[in-house]
Amino acid sequence: MYIEWIWGLAGGLLIGLGAAVYLLGNGRIMGASGILGGLVDGSDRTLERLSFIAGVIATPLILSPLLSSAPMTHLTDNFAVIVIAGLLVGAGTRIANGCTSGHGVCGISRFSVRGIIATLIYIGAGGATIALMRHVWGLI
Amino acid sequence: MRVLVSMLAGSLFGAGLLISGMTDTTKVQGWLDVFGNWDPTLAFVMGGAILPMLIAWRMTAHRRPLTGGQFPKMSPPELDRRLIIGSVMFGMGWSLSGLCPGPAIASITYGGLGGLVFLAAMITGMFAAPGLGAQLDRSANAA
């Protein structure tokens, strides 16, 4: 039976709760690319950004011993793919001004047209990319 | 206070990413791979995350943020080159790797060398973004 969805839903609720705390507490959109990108650009609120990132890194470290198996990312070991993908994700999310958390979680829940369109586009582009790279060309 | 709110939000976000399985690239690529062994988990994560935020956005109507200031205004529903081309680039990189910015940060302690290289490339891409964005605007004006 497929039970992963329970963990998906539980984890999703925590992500949404984090976004709600950030919005109602600080009046800001919880977008991972925006929070990190602001540090890269040297924008204001440096300490807030750093403490958010510290929280994101620390909790998986604290929680992982409680899991039945150690967490794994299963990232490809092809470093060319990793570098190209990283460049595209970094540049793309900053140019589009949002990623899965900002445009996706925060945008869709606000019925933001830009958030919904961005989400449809990155899921569509992602689906097309994996279809071509995996099933047509067999590269990943 | 704002720093504590940020840390609490980041902690919840990191815990959610780990528990939901979204730092596992096979789950993300599985969601995008509709012609392969399709994995619906991401839809449950997205749905679960949107629920508290639906309530949170409603709560913004008659109050101010806890630490003062204003809630962010909704951007006008304009679709420009930046939104479209940036999202296409992001979708391609997301699908090639199975990582988006949140999980790339959350998995830094267990993502190995590949995870660190991804993060470094992602930050490099963020450095390049303002220049690339300006180039897009120029080509839009020229067209």
Side-chain angles (χ1 to χ4, degrees), chain B residues 94-116:
Chain B
W94 186 40
S95 154
L96 283 173
S97 60
L99 286 175
C100 50
I105 300 167
S107 66
I108 191 171
T109 55
Y110 56 90
L113 180 62
L116 293 175

Side-chain angles (χ1 to χ4, degrees), chain A residues 96 103 112-121, chain B residues 75-85 87 140:
Chain A
H103 277 318
S112 151
V113 172
R114 281 172 59 86
I116 292 167
I117 297 284
T119 303
L120 290 174
I121 292 174
Chain B
S75 310
E78 285 164 10
L79 305 180
D80 47 48
R81 277 183 186 220
R82 283 177 181 248
L83 188 81
I84 295 166
I85 294 174
S87 297

Side-chain angles (χ1 to χ4, degrees), chain A residues 12-131:
Chain A
L13 285 168
L14 285 174
I15 295 169
L17 203 58
V21 165
Y22 202 65
L23 178 69
L24 297 173
N26 284 355
R28 304 280 299 175
I29 304 255
M30 190 195 77
S33 58
I35 292 171
L36 178 63
L39 284 178
V40 172
D41 293 346
S43 304
D44 56 352
R45 307 169 198 270
T46 304
L47 205 57
E48 282 170 47
R49 296 173 195 276
L50 286 174
S51 62
F52 178 85
I53 290 169
V56 176
I57 295 172
T59 34
L61 196 61
I62 295 163
L63 291 177
S64 58
L66 305 175
L67 302 180
S68 54
S69 59
M72 291 274 290
T73 55
H74 298 111
L75 187 63
T76 174
D77 49 18
N78 183 334
F79 279 88
V81 171
I82 292 175
V83 169
I84 292 167
L87 288 170
L88 283 168
V89 169
T93 52
R94 289 304 278 158
I95 290 170
N97 202 22
C99 60
T100 346
S101 43
H103 277 318
V105 175
C106 298
I108 294 174
S109 60
R110 196 185 201 185
F111 306 104
S112 151
V113 172
R114 281 172 59 86
I116 292 167
I117 297 284
T119 303
L120 290 174
I121 292 174
Y122 62 69
I123 289 179
T129 302
I130 205 156

